[in-house]
Amino acid sequence: MKTLIIELKKEKRTGIILLMPALGLLGSAYALLNFIVRKDTLLSLPLAPMTILLTQLYGMIMTLNLFGIIVAACMIYNIEFKGNAVKKMYVLPIPVPAMYLCKFLILTILLSVAAALQNLALTQIGITSLPEGTFELHTLIIFALYSVITAMPALSFMLFIASRFENMWVPLGIGVAGFLSGMALGTSKISLFLTDPFVVILNPAVSMSAEPDVSVMVIAIIETLLFLLAGLWTSAHTHYE
């Protein structure tokens, strides 16, 4: 708990504590405005109303969340490399992997907050704008959890990458390249491409169903754990000169 409090104090200085909720509000505003403008067009699609609500509005929301993850991961470690602070972490009476884990938990919580705000907007749309009797709260909750789970590999990967490079522009460039790879490969039916965490996060947006894909969820959880373990191991065995 002490380590988590220390990390929270540091992250307040980076600005990410406000960044992710702000993106959540921005995504909420986008969803509301988009549905108001395109309501008739969206509801005329040959899909179930809940599928339209969840899949047709998620694309831009996912993009905002992904860029938030990329920027937040870069910022959360950039402060450690400034003034060689990362070197001093290894002489503190706190395990460095514990600091890494706290950063992961903070980013996960912030992502969840952003997702909660966005899904509150979707709930409002569903209650007020979908045809009567078609809104299903349990379907929205399940899809919201699915979207967070599929976003976790990208978060875990970006935090790992950010912890390996002192120059913030390197992980930022890798994140942008990852985003482009997701956009290029996300619609492919080749399962091998799901090894790319940026393809996994895109999956709910390109799916034509609001039902979670269990196999994608399993892959997402495995990738998240693999990148997290890689980050914990390297943080424990890396010593900066």
Side-chain angles (χ1 to χ4, degrees):
M1 182 59 70
K2 181 179 179 181
T3 306
L4 183 59
I5 294 173
I6 293 173
E7 287 300 316
L8 279 172
K9 290 180 179 179
K10 288 194 291 186
E11 305 333 325
K12 286 181 180 179
R13 297 176 58 192
T14 67
I16 67 168
I17 300 296
L18 297 177
L19 172 66
M20 295 303 290
L23 288 176
L25 292 174
L26 183 60
S28 300
Y30 164 80
L32 290 168
L33 182 61
N34 190 357
F35 199 86
I36 290 173
V37 173
R38 301 175 58 208
K39 178 179 178 180
D40 293 338
T41 302
L42 290 173
L43 292 180
S44 65
L45 293 174
L47 297 170
M50 282 301 295
T51 300
I52 293 171
L53 174 67
L54 299 177
T55 61
Q56 300 303 305
L57 298 180
Y58 179 69
M60 187 60 184
I61 291 175
M62 177 278 302
T63 302
L64 289 172
N65 290 346
L66 179 53
F67 276 109
I69 289 170
I70 293 170
V71 173
C74 293
M75 292 171 63
I76 206 172
Y77 255 99
N78 183 56
I79 194 173
E80 302 292 2
F81 290 115
K82 282 186 175 180
N84 294 322
V86 68
K87 299 178 183 179
K88 301 171 185 176
M89 293 197 310
Y90 288 91
V91 298
L92 294 177
I94 300 174
V96 175
M99 294 184 181
Y100 185 94
L101 182 60
C102 287
K103 292 181 188 295
F104 175 81
L105 292 175
I106 290 170
L107 287 178
T108 300
I109 292 171
L110 291 175
L111 174 64
S112 300
V113 169
L117 292 172
Q118 293 156 355
N119 282 282
L120 283 175
L122 295 180
T123 302
Q124 176 64 24
I125 294 171
I127 293 174
T128 60
S129 300
L130 290 188
E132 186 176 354
T134 60
F135 177 68
E136 301 171 354
L137 181 60
H138 67 279
T139 300
L140 185 142
I141 293 174
I142 292 173
F143 186 86
L145 292 173
Y146 178 52
S147 66
V148 172
I149 290 173
T150 53
M152 289 305 296
L155 185 151
S156 188
F157 171 77
M158 284 307 306
L159 183 63
F160 171 59
I161 294 298
S163 70
R164 297 296 89 210
F165 297 96
E166 294 188 36
N167 188 333
M168 187 177 71
W169 292 106
V170 176
L172 187 60
I174 292 174
V176 172
F179 168 74
L180 295 175
S181 73
M183 295 299 291
L185 305 175
T187 57
S188 174
K189 300 299 182 182
I190 301 177
S191 300
L192 180 63
F193 291 153
L194 289 173
T195 55
D196 183 343
F198 298 94
V199 172
V200 175
I201 191 175
L202 193 66
N203 187 267
V206 300
S207 174
M208 297 304 291
S209 171
E211 293 294 323
D213 188 324
V214 177
S215 61
V216 174
M217 290 179 63
V218 171
I219 291 172
I221 292 171
I222 292 173
E223 288 185 3
T224 301
L225 292 176
L226 286 176
F227 289 127
L228 176 60
L229 291 174
L232 292 172
W233 188 87
T234 53
S235 66
H237 293 83
T238 301
H239 297 280
Y240 296 87
E241 298 297 334

